[in-house]
Amino acid sequence: MAGIVTKKAGSGGDLRPPHISEPKIVKWILIAISIIFLCSIVLLPLIIVLFESLKNGIGLYLESIVEPDAMSALLLTITVAVITVPLNSFFGICAAWAITKFQFRGKNFLISLIDVPFAVSPVISGLIFILLLGTNSALGAWFESYNIQIIFALPGIVLATMFVTFPFIARELIPLMQAQGIQEEEAAASLGASGWKIFWRVTFPNIKWGLLYGMILCNARAIGEFGAVSVVSGHIRGETNTLPLHVEILYNEYQFTAAFAVSSLLVFIALLTIIVKSFIEWKTHQQQSQMQEVDHHG
Amino acid sequence: MFFFGKRNVLPGFRRTFGFTVLYLSLIVLIPLSGVVWNTLGMSWLDFWETVTSDRVIASFKVSFLCALVAAFLNLVFGFIVAWALERYSFWGKRFFDNLIDLPFALPTAVAGIALTALYAPNGWIGRFFEPFDIQIAYTQIGITIALMFIGLPFVVRTVQPIIQELDKEVEEAAVILGASRLRTFFRVIFPQLIPALLTGFALAFARGVGEYGSVVFISGNMPFKTEIAPLLIMTKLEQYDYAGATAIALVMLIISFAILLLINIIQAKSNKTSL
């Protein structure tokens, strides 16, 4: 039954009789609308960052990037990402293991709770840590008595970033591990493999690309988070300024070239993220079609 | 296998479940409950006066109106983009497909200053509107454009897989039975896409209401005109008015969770009908 018309017309959907698809003119109008829309909303903003940052010469561009405040902002941003991504990855793996390999009550509720940070405005994500750990709160006062500063310092920035990026990896892994089921792990367990061995030898090879995918997204958001970090950072130049906050300060001081130059660093990270993401998608697609081929022959 | 209550042979449930709940509580649940705790400390009258003051109401109006318009425009254009990417082949298709993810990957502050530079009266796009006395940056139009940038991938990436999975034979059957392409689209294709379109719309809207980074640069931040609710929270925090900031935050949280609930209901319903 499947594809009678397509098969008669030759193979491939593009060779369907013309009256089944839209008229050519409609097709070209829709493509034109798409391209114009994407250019004016997404592509041109990207190009203007590079254009504005290089407008006054490469010398000024490099100067704005190697300047000490920019460098310390870069260092802080990397530090935050290096702490946040592994912790959230570990959480994501634990949560996905518990949720997908076992049955328990309230599982769907737990999954919804993990998604909660997606629904919270970035500014509120920062606010909650001020309420919890600011100098006005009991916990904040306690930390202060030991001279530990949380808010307006690195720990606060890390906490706010962890909150904002919390669901990324778990969300990537849960559907993936759900689809893979538990038969392979059960087989390994019945052959006497230990928990760690089962994870590293059976589960991990199956989820490694999904995990990397989640980590890449988590990393991009950790580096770029603005609202939440802006609330808890205190904007101390050279100390608690991340790269996005540094961009804001430069922009508000009318140092546009410098603001766009620092932005271009973030643009490169974003482009790299997209390239890696697209590579992983290609890789998993390839794996899937290979598996299907094995299924056909087997 | 599970339904017969067989004991699971896999190890590590207690440890992974325990850590999951602990980490979730420490990072998300306990901090978030602080918003409720702190508003409980306010009297009901104070709370009501804060969230219904003219400036707060005006900021909610700006946030919701702009997010609604942006989500709607994204629904229309996002659908066209998703359709073109899935059904047509054209030059640069893969490039544009990857470009859709940029708003997810690009820091919002960078998007904010780039869009401002582009749509300012002397910017590359803004200058074409200036002769007609249309100002884009520093008005609600500018806020809407920033929110369109932020929300676009939500619509496209929700609708795209559904278009891909559409059964083309059903369309062919409709045509063979004498329906025109337009009729086929509205009677056969479109109904199948409605749940995904609604989900994408709700996700884009929810993200837009809370968005801060990309908006503050292009909005101009004039109270009663282009001041969004998250910015007002920020302003109150800077004036050490924690109670006021928390009250506004609570209202926004309740609305976001209502939207989230709505999305879950839509998805549960569409899963049921597709089975």
Side-chain angles (χ1 to χ4, degrees):
Chain A
M1 171 81 194
I4 297 171
V5 178
T6 25
K7 263 185 197 146
K8 275 196 180 156
S11 57
D14 283 308
L15 292 171
R16 295 198 303 176
H19 63 283
I20 286 181
S21 288
E22 297 81 57
K24 271 239 157 69
I25 175 93
V26 175
K27 178 181 152 181
W28 288 114
I29 290 172
L30 291 181
I31 292 176
I33 292 175
S34 301
I35 291 178
I36 293 170
F37 179 76
L38 286 177
C39 283
S40 53
I41 295 284
V42 188
L43 184 60
L44 279 176
L46 200 66
I47 293 171
I48 206 168
V49 171
L50 304 179
F51 178 81
E52 291 284 332
S53 61
L54 290 169
K55 201 166 64 175
N56 296 323
I58 193 118
L60 196 61
Y61 174 83
L62 290 174
E63 219 170 89
S64 325
I65 288 178
V66 297
E67 175 248 349
D69 282 348
M71 280 327 247
S72 80
L74 177 67
L75 192 69
L76 179 65
T77 301
I78 293 172
T79 312
V80 171
V82 163
I83 300 172
T84 306
V85 176
L87 279 172
N88 278 349
S89 306
F90 185 69
F91 161 75
I93 292 169
C94 283
W97 181 267
I99 286 170
T100 60
K101 306 290 175 195
F102 302 91
Q103 294 297 99
F104 55 92
R105 271 161 160 258
K107 188 189 268 192
N108 285 328
F109 184 62
L110 183 63
I111 297 175
S112 308
L113 283 182
I114 292 174
D115 272 348
V116 158
F118 275 149
V120 177
S121 165
V123 173
I124 299 177
S125 310
L127 167 74
I128 57 176
F129 288 100
I130 298 237
L131 294 179
L132 186 73
L133 298 162
T135 40
N136 291 344
S137 70
L139 213 56
W142 185 77
F143 275 118
E144 205 165 44
S145 68
Y146 291 96
N147 249 334
I148 303 172
Q149 206 180 0
I150 307 264
I151 297 300
F152 306 139
L154 179 69
I157 299 173
V158 171
L159 279 172
T161 310
M162 273 161 80
F163 177 92
V164 171
T165 58
F166 183 83
F168 279 94
I169 294 162
R171 228 195 174 192
E172 218 41 70
L173 290 181
I174 290 170
L176 186 68
M177 283 166 71
Q178 204 127 44
Q180 281 163 353
I182 61 165
Q183 282 162 345
E184 290 181 37
E185 281 86 358
E186 276 185 330
S190 63
L191 292 171
S194 69
W196 276 114
K197 210 165 182 181
I198 296 174
F199 176 74
W200 283 114
R201 304 289 289 269
V202 179
T203 312
F204 185 74
N206 283 334
I207 62 164
K208 61 181 181 207
W209 292 114
L211 180 64
L212 186 62
Y213 194 95
M215 285 170 81
I216 291 287
L217 293 182
C218 179
N219 182 56
R221 187 70 198 266
I223 286 172
E225 180 49 37
F226 178 73
V229 170
S230 172
V231 174
V232 294
S233 96
H235 301 270
I236 308 164
R237 265 196 174 194
E239 278 179 46
T240 61
N241 254 349
T242 60
L243 274 184
L245 296 180
H246 191 60
V247 168
E248 184 198 21
I249 289 185
L250 291 172
Y251 189 84
N252 287 342
E253 287 174 350
Y254 301 103
Q255 301 187 43
F256 294 128
T257 307
F260 281 106
V262 176
S263 293
S264 74
L265 279 184
L266 293 163
V267 165
F268 288 131
I269 297 172
L271 290 178
L272 203 66
T273 304
I274 292 180
I275 291 170
V276 175
K277 186 173 180 284
S278 138
F279 171 76
I280 297 170
E281 274 164 358
W282 173 75
K283 195 91 193 162
T284 46
H285 188 78
Q286 214 181 24
Q287 263 179 351
Q288 270 168 359
S289 48
Q290 259 173 9
M291 256 159 36
Q292 271 165 4
E293 232 161 70
V294 171
D295 280 351
H296 278 299
H297 293 299
Chain B
M1 221 187 299
F2 277 119
F3 299 106
F4 299 102
K6 195 180 142 219
R7 255 190 59 109
N8 198 328
V9 292
L10 293 179
F13 176 66
R14 273 205 197 158
R15 260 178 282 174
T16 52
F17 183 79
F19 179 74
T20 302
V21 173
L22 179 76
Y23 192 74
L24 179 71
S25 308
L26 286 179
I27 304 291
V28 179
L29 300 181
I30 295 173
L32 209 53
S33 64
V35 175
V36 182
W37 272 116
N38 276 274
T39 29
L40 285 181
M42 276 174 101
S43 78
W44 172 247
L45 200 71
D46 279 350
F47 174 78
W48 190 249
E49 263 176 15
T50 308
V51 298
T52 55
S53 77
D54 290 345
R55 193 167 164 191
V56 175
I57 293 282
S59 78
F60 277 135
K61 271 189 192 156
V62 173
S63 275
F64 281 93
L65 188 73
C66 292
L68 207 62
V69 173
F72 179 74
L73 290 173
N74 269 337
L75 187 67
V76 175
F77 288 107
F79 169 72
I80 294 175
V81 169
W83 184 265
L85 287 175
E86 275 310 315
R87 284 294 173 96
Y88 308 141
S89 50
F90 54 92
W91 188 82
K93 180 168 133 164
R94 266 193 65 82
F95 171 77
F96 283 108
D97 194 15
N98 282 320
L99 204 62
I100 306 283
D101 289 319
L102 189 77
F104 280 154
L106 192 70
T108 50
V110 176
I113 66 168
L115 287 168
T116 312
L118 208 54
Y119 287 93
N122 59 351
W124 291 355
I125 296 181
R127 73 172 56 147
F128 293 109
F129 290 88
E130 238 238 314
F132 305 102
D133 244 3
I134 301 172
Q135 210 187 346
I136 297 180
Y138 318 120
T139 66
Q140 293 188 4
I141 305 175
I143 301 176
T144 310
I145 285 181
L147 296 182
M148 281 166 78
F149 174 87
I150 290 300
L152 177 69
F154 288 97
V155 176
V156 177
R157 292 296 185 233
T158 326
V159 179
Q160 220 176 352
I162 311 294
I163 295 178
Q164 198 173 18
E165 282 168 18
L166 282 178
D167 197 353
K168 280 191 180 170
E169 273 82 57
V170 180
E171 292 167 38
E172 287 161 10
V175 174
I176 290 165
L177 292 170
S180 69
R181 183 62 185 164
L182 205 64
R183 193 176 154 94
T184 310
F185 178 78
F186 280 108
R187 300 296 288 272
V188 177
I189 301 173
F190 191 64
Q192 299 181 65
L193 299 177
I194 287 175
L197 285 168
L198 282 178
T199 307
F201 176 81
L203 285 172
F205 176 67
R207 177 72 206 263
V209 170
E211 177 56 21
Y212 174 75
S214 58
V215 176
V216 281
F217 298 100
I218 204 170
S219 72
N221 306 331
M222 276 188 302
F224 298 102
K225 281 187 187 154
T226 57
E227 187 177 55
I228 51 167
L231 179 75
L232 199 53
I233 295 180
M234 203 74 162
T235 314
K236 295 220 180 251
L237 274 177
E238 272 162 15
Q239 297 160 350
Y240 298 102
D241 178 8
Y242 287 3
T246 316
I248 304 172
L250 183 68
V251 174
M252 289 191 69
L253 277 180
I254 292 171
I255 294 164
S256 320
F257 288 141
I259 299 171
L260 200 68
L261 195 68
L262 196 75
I263 297 172
N264 278 333
I265 293 172
I266 295 170
Q267 283 186 328
K269 272 210 169 146
S270 73
N271 280 346
K272 243 181 224 164
T273 49
S274 70
L275 277 173

